[in-house]
Each structure stands twice: as C-alpha cells, then as structure tokens.
Amino acid sequence: MVKNPDHVTIAVTDLERSKHFFELLDFELKITDVISGEEVAKYMDVPDIEADHLTMVLKGAEPRFEIQLLHYRNPKIFSDPKISNLARPGYNHLCFKVENIELAVDHLRKNGIKIRSHIMEYLHRKLVYIEGPEYITVELAEWL
C-alpha cells in the first residue's frame, strides 16, 4: 500500500532559521506559498488559517523527499522546548542517513547547530541526535 515517504511538515515560529537548518542538511527551497482560505481551513481543521508554506527538497534523493515548513500567521503558535523530551508519547524523531557522521557533526557544529548526544554505535550504525527547529530531534545515521 505505502510506497515511500513523501514529506514531513514542521510548524515553525522562526522561518528563516528553520530554512537555514535544512539547507545545512542539503535541502533546497523549491516552492514558497501562502496557504489560506476555507478549503485549507476545513482540510487542516484550523479556522481562519493563514500560513507561509515552504517546500524544501533533499538534493539527489530518489525518490523525492520534502520537508515542508509551515509558518503560521494566523493562528499564532508558540514554541515548546518540552517537545525535545523523547520520553513522551507521539512524534519522537526523524532520522537521515549520512555517509560520514563525524564530518556531518563537525559541519553542523561549525554552523551553530546543537548536538544533543555523543556518537554511538547501535544496530550496525553510528548514530547521533541533533536539535532541529522548534526543539524537534533529528537523528543522523551512518551505516557500518
């Protein structure tokens, strides 16, 4: 039934900072739009919605994979640092495969990205957690 991931949407309060984060992970901006109106409000169950909607595409990914950034103008949203607690129900983290985890971590650190854990080996991979936009957790994995 399901073939592959298509996209992940992240609601953000700081659009430029979030865009920059995913550019560091080799995503490029492809579409900038503003969503609003009755049809979208009904679909998302968000009355009076108005939001910037940026589509960022992972370079070279086959099949295509997108991160969509949703920046609400209305209603106003707030950031919750408690979302970074991985011992809670719901969304836990998103993981990206990398070729060299040490180089990736070095690149992200040099660009001000918070590394949440040490690199560890588990299930034939090197793994590390990093802090993404709005305190979400992003994991990097290098297959051994």
Side-chain angles (χ1 to χ4, degrees):
M1 183 166 78
V2 173
K3 294 186 178 194
N4 56 264
D6 183 80
H7 70 272
V8 172
T9 301
I10 303 169
V12 301
T13 58
D14 188 333
L15 191 57
E16 285 306 311
R17 184 172 175 203
S18 301
K19 181 174 146 289
H20 177 68
F21 174 84
F22 287 105
E23 287 170 340
L24 290 171
L25 294 177
D26 227 12
F27 283 80
E28 63 183 335
L29 181 62
K30 287 292 186 175
I31 302 169
T32 302
D33 196 15
V34 175
I35 60 172
S36 64
E38 190 174 326
E39 184 179 2
V40 174
K42 280 183 182 178
Y43 178 74
M44 293 184 65
D45 196 23
V46 179
D48 302 317
I49 188 172
E50 183 178 8
D52 301 292
H53 187 274
L54 273 57
T55 300
M56 302 190 71
V57 177
L58 182 57
K59 294 177 189 174
E62 189 57 45
R64 177 184 174 108
F65 180 68
E66 301 174 353
I67 295 288
Q68 298 176 356
L69 301 177
L70 191 59
H71 177 256
Y72 282 92
R73 297 176 182 181
N74 188 55
K76 294 293 181 197
I77 63 171
F78 64 93
S79 186
D80 183 0
K82 290 184 230 161
I83 197 168
S84 65
N85 177 359
L86 296 179
R88 59 160 172 68
Y91 171 82
N92 193 272
H93 69 274
L94 172 64
C95 184
F96 293 110
K97 180 180 176 182
V98 297
E99 288 187 29
N100 184 314
I101 202 162
E102 286 85 1
L103 285 176
V105 165
D106 187 52
H107 170 69
L108 294 170
R109 260 196 191 112
K110 286 179 181 174
N111 283 279
I113 302 303
K114 180 180 176 186
I115 308 303
R116 290 193 51 186
S117 69
H118 65 280
I119 296 171
M120 71 172 250
E121 289 188 22
Y122 181 66
L123 297 177
H124 311 290
R125 299 172 184 98
K126 289 183 183 178
L127 304 168
V128 68
Y129 283 139
I130 60 176
E131 186 174 288
E134 308 304 330
Y135 304 102
I136 66 167
T137 300
V138 175
E139 186 176 38
L140 303 179
E142 176 187 337
W143 280 81
L144 302 174

